[in-house]
Amino acid sequence: MRYLPLSDTDRGEMLARIGVADIDALFADVPKAMLLDGPVDLPRRKSEMEVERILSRMAGRNVAAGSVPFFVGAGAYKHHVPATVDHVIQRSEFLTSYTPYQPEIAQGTLQYLFEFQTQVAALTGMEVANASMYDGSTGTGEAVLMAHRVTKRRKAVLSGGLHPHYAEVVQTLSRMSGDAVVAMPADVMADEDIIGRIDGETSCVVVQTPDVFGNLRDLTAIAEAAHKHGALLIAVFTEVMSLGLVTPPGHMGADIVVGEGQSIGNGLNFGGPYVGLFATRQKYIRQMPGRLCGETVDANGERGFVLTLSTREQHIRRDKATSNICTNSGLCCLAFTIHMTLLGQAGLTRLARVNHANAVKLADMLAGVKGVEVLNGAFFNEFTVRLSRPAAEVVEALAERGVLAGVPVSRLSPGAGLDDLLLVASTEINTDDDRAALVAGLKEVL
Amino acid sequence: MLNRQGRPTAAGQASDNAHPTFTGNKALAQVEPLLFEIGRYETTGVDIDEPEAFAPRLGGMERTGEIGLPGLSEPEAMRHYVRLSQKNYGIDSGLFPLGSCTMKHNPRLNERMARLPGFGDVHPLQPVSTVQGALELMQELARYLMTLTGTQAVALSPKAGAHGELAGMMAIKAAIEAKGEGASRRTVLVPDSAHGTNPATAALIGFQVKAVPAREDGWVHVEDVKAALGPDVAAIMLTNPNTCGLFEPQIVEIARALHDAGGYFYCDGANFNAIVGKARPGDLGIDAMHINLHKTFSTPHGGGGPGAGPVVLSERLAPFAPVPFVRQGASGLELVEHADEAGEAQPFGRVTAFHGQMGMYVRALSYMLSHGSDGMRRASEDAVLNANYIRAGLADLMSQPFGDKPCMHEVLFDDTWLKDTGVTTLDFAKAMIDEGYHPMTVYFPLVVHGAMLIEPTESESKASLDLFIATLRDLAMAAKAGDRDRFVGAPYHAPRRRLDETRAARSPVLRWTPPAPVQEAAE
C-alpha cells in the first residue's frame, strides 16, 4: 500500500523488539469476540488511477458553477479566486501543519492569523476579531451565546431578514440550551418592527445586512434601541464582499459582527469548508469564543505571535469554557487573507463596485421581463424577484436549459407562502452573455 | 570551470563567531514584516476594470473613508506568504508525533480530487438534479463510515470534531426528551482524562457534568460507572481508545450498564484511527461517535482546520439526526433539508447552514478508496505497531504512568523520570524542536503529571522511528546527566526563541495598529 512505509520484514523485527508474537497481541484489550478476524466488507485497495476514475465519474454528474450562466447565492457566492491563493495554501508547511501549539515553529500560521484578525476587524469596522469560526451560521450561534454571557440574559430576537438556515442553527442551539428565541416572520421588504420586540429581557437582536432577500439595512436605530434596553446588536452578513462598498456594521453601532467569509479566497465546495468571521469590541474579548492570536516577544526580545487568552477555551476551562470549538477554519483563513492581501482596499472596493454594477444591470434587465418584478430598493449583489409562477418550477426549467437562475425562497422557507420569490445573485463572474441567457430563459418559461 | 582557473573556494581566515547581518536575515531564514508594514493602500495584485458608469442602488449606505486594508502586487504577495510558510513545521517537514491529533501523511491525490470542478465548484443550493454526483459521494462516504463503525446512521454535516460531539449530544438530548425524560436526565458522566471539548459540549446544551474516575491502571472501571449511574444520567462521554492511549477493556460492560440504566453512550472518536478495520464501535455498544475526518481519514489539518466531524448514530438515535441528509427517492437522490420532509424521522434541527464539509468528504473518501478495507486495517495495525515500538525503545529511560504495557496508537509518558533534573516536560519538548522534531502533545491528558503523549502514526518508516528513538534517548540521558542548558533555554535554533505567552495574555494585542504619528516640529 503506497501510504504505508513498513515492510513485512520491518514489522517482524519491530514485533520482536516489542516482545510480542503477533500484531493482535497489541490489541489484547479489545474484547476477543469484538476483534474482527479480517477486513470489513468494503472494496480492496485501489491505485491512484482507479480512484481518480471513480471520483471523476461522480464529479462529472454535477453541473459546475463555472460551466453555465450562474446566479445562485443565498449565503454562498461564486467569485474568481486568483491562482496565487490556491498555490500558496497547498504549500506543505501550511497545508500539513496544525493548530500552533508550539509557536516557535508555527510563526507562519500565527503571523497570517494576526493579519487575518486585523483584516477582519478593519472590514467589519470593529476593534478585534478572532481566528475564525467554522462558518457564518455556526458563528452566529456562538455570537448569541456570547451575548447571553455578556448581558446575563437568555433571550435572542432574530430578524426576519436573517438567513433561514442561520435562524435554524440559532434556534436548534437555543432549544437545546434552554434559551429563548423570538424569530420574526420572513421580512421580504425590510420593513419589520424589530425595535418593538426589544425589551428588558432581550440579550441580543440579530440582524443581517445585506439580508437574505438582498436588502441593505441601516442598523443605527436598532443599535440605539438595543443599547437603551441593555441588549447587544449582533450584525450578520453572508456576503463579505459587500463590506468593500457599504457602511460596515461596526460604524452603525453593532456589538458583535459575524458572518460568512467564503466569498474571499474560498470556493463554493457544495457548502464547505467555509470560514466564519467573528469581530467585536475590545471590552468583550474575554467573552469571545474561538482561538485568538496575539503579539508578544521571544527570549531575545524579538516580536512573535502566540495563541492567547486560552483560559477562555475548552482545553483549559472545560465545562466553563466560552465555546467547545477546537479545530476551526485555519486554511480557509489563509485563503481569505491571501486573497484580501492581493486585493487590498483598492482592489476590494473596485471588485465590490463591479459586483454591484452587475447586479444593478441584471435587475434592470429582469424588470423588463413580463412576469418578473424586482422587489428591492437598496441591494448589493443579490436581490429578490417575484415571478408569475412558482420559483422552484422556474429554476428547474431553466436548469434544464443550462442556466442556474438562483435560489427559490421556498427552498429555504417552505410553507412561508413565498413560493413565487426567487433570490438572484450576480457577481463579477457574470458576462453579458450570461445575463442574456437568463433573460431569454425566463421569457421562455414564464 | 572556475576552479581549474585557480579561483580559491575555501573560506578565508575569520573568527567563527556568527556575524550579525545588515538585514537581520540569516540566509534562508528571512525576517518577514507584517503585511501592514509593507503593503500600500493604493496597491492591488488583482486586475479589475472599473465598471461602466451606473447609478448605485445602495440606499445611501456607501462606505466612506479608508478601510485600512493595504494591498500587495502578486510577486510581493507570493514572496510574503512563501516566507511565512518557511517558518512553519508540517507533516511533510518531519515526524509530527502530536498525540491525539493524528498527524498522518496527507495524500495529494485527495487534494486533486477535491478540486475537480464537479466537487469544488458546486453550490450547495443548486437544483438537486444538478448535484446527483455530490449526493452520491455523500451516500458512499456514509456507507463507508457506517460499515467501518458498525452503526445504522450517520449525520455528515458537523464541521469538526467538537461540532460532531455537539450534534451527537443533541441527538441524545432529543431522544431523552422524546421519552419524556428531559427534565430528569440532566447529568453527563465525563472522565477527567477526556478531551476538554467533551465537558464543554455537554455544558453548552445545559447538561451538568459529573466526573468519573479512571483507576491507577488508566482504565475506567464498570463498577465506578455503575456507582455514578442513576435516573438523572443522560449519557456518558467516553473516549476509546482513551486519551492515555489505552483501549478500555470494560467498554462492553460499561455500555450495558449504561443502557440498563436508561442512558446513552457517547464515544469520542478522536482515536478511532487505532481500530479502523479491527473492531467496530457499534459492536461495542456505542450510541453516537464523531469521526474526525482530518485525523483518521487523512484530510489535511491546515494549520488548525478545516476539519470535519460526521457523527455515526445507533438505531436508537438515528431518527433524531439533524437536517440536511441524503435519501434515495423515486427519481434519484434527494436532499432532506427540512424537518417536515423527513417522514417518520424526527430531526432535532440543524447544526450548520449547508451540507457540511464537502471538500473534506471528497478527500476522506479518496483516502478510503485508496486504502481499501485491507489497507485501512493495515494502517491501524501499523499505527499501533509504531507506537509500541517507540514505547519499547524508551521504556527503560522514561516513565509511564500506568506501567509498561501495550498501548494503542499513542504512547503516554509522565515526568516522574525528570524529577530532580530541573528540566520540565515543556523544556524537553522545546529541546526536541532543536533536534528537528515537532514535539509530542504535552500536559494532556490532565490526569497525568507532565504528560507527554506520542503518536507517530502509520506514516513513519522504521528508519524514521529508529532515529526518533535514538534522539529522545540522547535527550533523556542529557537531562539526567544534568545538561540543563540544552533544555531550559530551548529552542535555540527555531525561527523564534521561546515566546512569552504570559505577556501576550496580560495585555492582549490582537491586531496591528498604525504606529503613533511622529510629533510634527512646533511651528
Side-chain angles (χ1 to χ4, degrees):
Chain A
M1 206 287 144
R2 60 186 181 276
Y3 302 148
L4 300 177
L6 297 185
S7 68
D8 281 341
T9 312
D10 293 334
R11 292 183 181 108
E13 287 174 18
M14 292 165 73
L15 287 170
R17 174 73 184 82
I18 295 164
V20 294
D22 58 28
I23 187 72
D24 278 348
L26 299 176
F27 287 85
D29 292 331
V30 180
K32 269 269 174 312
M34 305 299 173
L35 198 62
L36 303 170
D37 55 8
V40 296
D41 185 20
L42 289 170
R44 296 294 170 115
R45 78 186 75 166
K46 290 182 172 35
S47 70
E48 194 167 299
M49 204 165 63
E50 290 172 289
V51 175
E52 274 198 51
R53 199 175 290 142
I54 292 168
L55 293 176
S56 299
R57 187 193 58 75
M58 282 188 206
R61 296 183 63 211
N62 302 319
V63 176
S67 66
V68 291
F70 187 83
F71 302 94
V72 187
Y77 299 88
K78 179 164 173 62
H79 291 284
H80 178 77
V81 177
T84 301
V85 174
D86 202 43
H87 172 84
V88 175
I89 68 168
Q90 288 192 74
R91 283 188 63 92
S92 279
E93 303 91 330
F94 286 138
L95 185 76
T96 75
S97 59
Y98 199 23
T99 306
Y101 296 119
Q102 297 290 342
E104 296 85 0
I105 47 172
Q107 285 298 298
T109 297
L110 286 158
Q111 185 168 331
Y112 83 64
L113 289 176
F114 192 78
E115 294 181 355
F116 171 82
Q117 289 175 182
T118 306
Q119 287 175 330
V120 173
L123 261 178
T124 53
M126 299 299 280
E127 289 162 2
V128 289
N130 75 8
S132 83
M133 310 304 294
Y134 307 130
D135 65 6
S137 66
T138 56
T140 302
E142 293 274 10
V144 168
L145 293 177
M146 175 175 149
H148 292 352
R149 288 192 295 275
V150 169
T151 61
K152 301 189 169 64
R153 300 176 186 175
R154 299 181 68 179
K155 185 171 87 177
V157 177
L158 311 184
S159 161
L162 181 63
H163 194 296
H165 287 174
Y166 285 44
E168 283 173 45
V169 170
V170 172
Q171 284 170 308
T172 301
L173 196 53
S174 300
R175 193 166 56 245
M176 290 288 172
S177 57
D179 299 328
V181 173
V182 177
M184 308 280 285
D187 182 34
V188 183
M189 304 306 292
D191 53 8
E192 67 190 358
D193 174 25
I194 196 163
I195 289 176
R197 304 303 296 268
I198 307 172
D199 59 27
E201 288 172 8
T202 307
S203 137
C204 56
V205 194
V206 185
V207 187
Q208 180 178 327
T209 181
D211 68 21
V212 70
F213 301 104
N215 304 300
L216 292 171
R217 293 181 183 229
D218 190 338
L219 306 178
T220 317
I222 304 173
E224 278 171 18
H227 295 159
K228 203 173 77 194
H229 286 92
L232 303 191
L233 171 62
I234 297 173
V236 178
F237 57 87
T238 62
E239 174 49 299
V240 62
M241 194 73 76
S242 66
L243 294 174
L245 205 56
V246 306
T247 310
H251 296 178
M252 297 190 279
D255 300 285
I256 302 173
V257 182
V258 61
E260 181 52 65
Q262 170 267 328
S263 280
I264 295 182
N266 290 276
L268 289 171
N269 291 318
F270 200 51
Y274 289 172
V275 48
L277 311 184
F278 193 108
T280 187
R281 306 282 171 200
Q282 178 83 23
K283 63 182 172 186
Y284 297 135
I285 55 174
R286 284 172 205 278
Q287 294 298 336
M288 279 178 97
R291 308 269 193 222
L292 287 167
C293 171
E295 187 181 315
T296 188
V297 295
D298 74 358
N300 288 343
E302 292 197 66
R303 179 174 70 186
F305 303 93
V306 293
L307 292 179
T308 193
L309 299 180
S310 38
T311 48
R312 300 164 299 117
E313 292 190 70
Q314 45 78 23
H315 60 284
I316 310 279
R317 194 59 71 91
R318 301 175 78 84
D319 56 332
K320 304 285 190 303
T322 58
S323 167
N324 74 338
I325 194 167
C326 180
T327 293
N328 52 24
S329 297
L331 206 66
C332 302
C333 300
L334 177 61
F336 178 99
T337 289
I338 299 168
H339 192 185
M340 197 66 249
T341 298
L342 283 166
L343 286 168
Q345 65 182 32
L348 176 71
T349 304
R350 204 174 304 148
L351 181 55
R353 207 146 50 222
V354 171
N355 273 258
H356 185 47
N358 278 356
V360 167
K361 200 186 290 183
L362 182 65
D364 287 347
M365 287 171 73
L366 295 185
V369 176
K370 189 160 167 281
V372 180
E373 182 194 354
V374 177
L375 299 184
N376 306 61
F379 58 91
F380 172 61
N381 69 356
E382 186 166 25
F383 53 86
T384 305
V385 293
R386 185 185 308 273
L387 303 177
S388 55
R389 277 178 64 188
E393 291 174 24
V394 173
V395 165
E396 265 317 316
L398 285 174
E400 281 167 23
R401 287 165 174 77
V403 176
L404 295 183
V407 179
V409 172
S410 60
R411 171 127 185 217
L412 301 173
S413 305
L418 303 172
D419 292 3
D420 55 352
L421 301 187
L422 178 67
L423 308 178
V424 183
S426 184
T427 73
E428 75 280 2
I429 64 156
N430 293 130
T431 63
D432 286 336
D433 287 348
D434 292 344
R435 284 183 280 271
L438 178 59
V439 168
L442 282 170
K443 282 181 176 166
E444 268 182 60
V445 305
L446 287 177
Chain B
M1 303 274 278
L2 288 172
N3 283 358
R4 282 195 194 153
Q5 291 165 4
R7 193 175 69 87
T9 56
Q13 289 291 315
S15 67
D16 54 11
N17 293 334
H19 289 273
T21 57
F22 173 70
T23 54
N25 296 335
K26 291 173 191 155
L28 292 181
Q30 313 251 8
V31 175
E32 188 56 21
L34 284 163
L35 155 68
F36 306 95
E37 294 157 344
I38 53 176
R40 293 152 323 265
Y41 285 161
E42 69 279 13
T43 302
T44 179
V46 185
D47 292 325
I48 307 157
D49 289 332
E50 276 292 342
E52 292 164 24
F54 73 107
R57 237 164 276 174
L58 297 172
M61 277 183 272
E62 282 88 349
R63 185 166 191 156
T64 53
E66 301 279 8
I67 302 177
L69 294 168
L72 294 174
S73 67
E74 185 173 311
E76 292 171 296
M78 182 62 90
R79 191 171 287 166
H80 177 63
Y81 289 105
V82 166
R83 284 180 171 187
L84 289 188
S85 77
Q86 290 168 337
K87 301 177 196 305
N88 255 15
Y89 192 102
I91 301 167
D92 296 348
S93 319
L95 208 162
F96 203 133
L98 196 63
S100 201
C101 296
T102 311
M103 304 301 286
K104 65 169 71 176
H105 172 61
N106 301 148
R108 294 312 194 272
L109 169 65
N110 306 351
E111 296 303 303
R112 183 188 284 176
M113 294 300 94
R115 285 170 170 78
L116 291 170
F119 294 135
D121 191 28
V122 179
H123 191 287
L125 297 174
Q126 280 180 217
V128 169
S129 59
T130 67
V131 295
Q132 287 292 303
L135 302 187
E136 181 188 352
L137 184 130
M138 288 166 73
Q139 282 286 72
E140 189 66 354
L141 177 71
R143 183 172 76 91
Y144 268 74
L145 295 178
M146 289 187 292
T147 305
L148 289 169
T149 55
T151 52
Q152 282 69 43
V154 57
L156 291 178
S157 65
K159 297 289 213 170
H163 203 221
E165 287 177 26
L166 185 62
M169 291 304 290
M170 283 179 169
I172 287 173
K173 189 155 193 178
I176 288 170
E177 283 170 358
K179 287 196 287 190
E181 297 179 343
S184 54
R185 290 192 185 270
R186 301 180 59 89
T187 303
V188 172
L189 307 179
V190 183
D192 288 329
S193 58
H195 294 110
T197 51
N198 294 177
T201 298
L204 194 59
I205 56 173
F207 286 118
Q208 323 271 317
V209 175
K210 186 165 149 191
V212 267
R215 298 251 182 118
E216 277 177 9
D217 53 15
W219 287 315
V220 174
H221 285 236
V222 67
E223 300 85 61
D224 298 331
V225 174
K226 279 182 177 163
L229 283 174
D232 62 318
V233 172
I236 191 169
M237 296 182 85
L238 193 64
T239 308
N240 191 38
N242 69 24
T243 59
C244 302
L246 305 173
F247 191 94
E248 293 286 356
Q250 299 185 23
I251 184 164
V252 176
E253 291 77 20
I254 292 171
R256 199 174 300 136
L258 192 69
H259 290 155
D260 288 348
Y264 291 85
F265 191 160
Y266 188 90
C267 183
D268 182 326
N271 294 336
F272 182 45
N273 58 305
I275 57 167
V276 175
K278 295 293 289 182
R280 288 180 300 225
D283 297 345
L284 303 170
I286 66 111
D287 291 296
M289 181 182 86
H290 73 268
I291 299 168
N292 307 73
L293 297 185
H294 51 293
K295 295 179 181 176
T296 301
F297 298 113
S298 84
T299 75
H301 283 65
V311 57
V312 293
L313 302 170
S314 66
E315 212 159 3
R316 303 199 298 156
L317 291 182
F320 303 101
V323 292
F325 54 84
V326 182
R327 176 171 71 187
Q328 184 66 49
S331 57
L333 295 170
E334 297 173 349
L335 255 177
V336 177
E337 294 179 288
H338 302 280
D340 54 9
E341 300 159 3
E344 302 277 282
Q346 312 155 55
F348 70 72
R350 171 184 281 279
V351 295
T352 180
F354 300 117
H355 322 310
Q357 308 284 62
M358 181 66 173
M360 303 296 125
Y361 303 162
V362 179
R363 289 172 175 88
L365 186 61
S366 173
Y367 172 90
M368 292 173 165
L369 290 170
S370 294
H371 264 300
S373 58
D374 48 336
M376 285 190 276
R377 181 177 162 91
R378 182 39 75 74
S380 300
E381 291 175 347
D382 282 1
V384 171
L385 182 61
N386 281 356
N388 279 284
Y389 188 63
I390 290 175
R391 178 179 60 80
L394 298 175
D396 60 325
L397 282 177
M398 294 164 63
S399 48
Q400 298 176 70
F402 309 114
D404 189 24
K405 61 184 180 184
C407 58
M408 297 302 285
H409 62 299
E410 52 195 358
V411 54
L412 177 64
F413 297 97
D414 62 19
D415 63 358
T416 311
W417 65 281
L418 282 171
K419 191 164 177 281
D420 302 329
T421 60
V423 174
T424 65
T425 290
L426 187 69
D427 298 330
F428 190 78
K430 298 298 184 191
M432 284 171 68
I433 292 176
D434 282 334
E435 297 293 339
Y437 289 110
H438 194 288
M440 65 302 250
T441 290
V442 291
Y443 301 107
F444 179 84
L446 307 176
V447 292
V448 169
H449 201 268
M452 307 179 197
L453 187 62
I454 301 177
E455 179 179 14
T457 83
E458 70 276 17
S459 305
E460 297 304 322
S461 68
K462 180 166 176 293
S464 163
L465 297 173
D466 285 336
L467 182 59
F468 180 71
I469 291 167
T471 306
L472 261 60
R473 291 188 68 83
D474 185 73
L475 283 169
M477 287 187 286
K480 291 183 185 199
D483 185 3
R484 254 185 102 237
D485 282 357
R486 186 169 168 190
F487 299 91
V488 296
Y492 296 98
H493 303 297
R496 281 289 175 275
R497 297 288 305 282
R498 209 175 295 191
L499 286 150
D500 188 346
E501 300 192 19
T502 311
R503 171 180 164 139
R506 197 185 309 122
S507 42
V509 177
L510 306 179
R511 63 174 290 183
W512 181 83
T513 42
V518 179
Q519 204 74 39
E520 295 280 329
E523 290 184 19

